[in-house]
Amino acid sequence: MRVGIPKEASPGETRVAVIPAGVATLTKAGLQVAVESGAGLAAGFTDAAYAAQGAAVVSRADALAADILLQVRATPPANGLHAGQTVIGFADPLGA
């Protein structure tokens, strides 16, 4: 199963859903981790830090194609979700 960690699309959002240290936990559980290039930069984490922990650094399209999306804000991708895809993140339906 593949987990995608995209760069947050919400204006002003500087957090990332998973820090590099968390990648090791996911891969140990048997998951493949795909991190969008630049996803952690605003939070101070480089692509190299994610790769060092076993993540594949990929394009946005590749990260969003994963079976499970881990996001800070649980907003579906602009092109929609595919059948069976799961999005995990904070829901704030009344927020801006």
Side-chain angles (χ1 to χ4, degrees), residues 18-50:
V18 177
I19 65 172
V23 170
T25 302
L26 296 171
T27 57
K28 185 177 178 181
L31 300 168
Q32 297 174 355
V33 180
V35 178
E36 179 183 352
S37 181
L41 289 179
F45 302 108
T46 65
D47 290 345
Y50 283 100

Side-chain angles (χ1 to χ4, degrees), residues 67-92:
D67 302 304
I68 300 169
L69 297 179
L70 300 179
Q71 299 176 223
V72 174
R73 297 183 183 221
T75 54
N79 62 346
L81 301 172
H82 62 74
Q85 192 172 32
T86 301
V87 177
I88 300 172
F90 295 119
D92 186 13

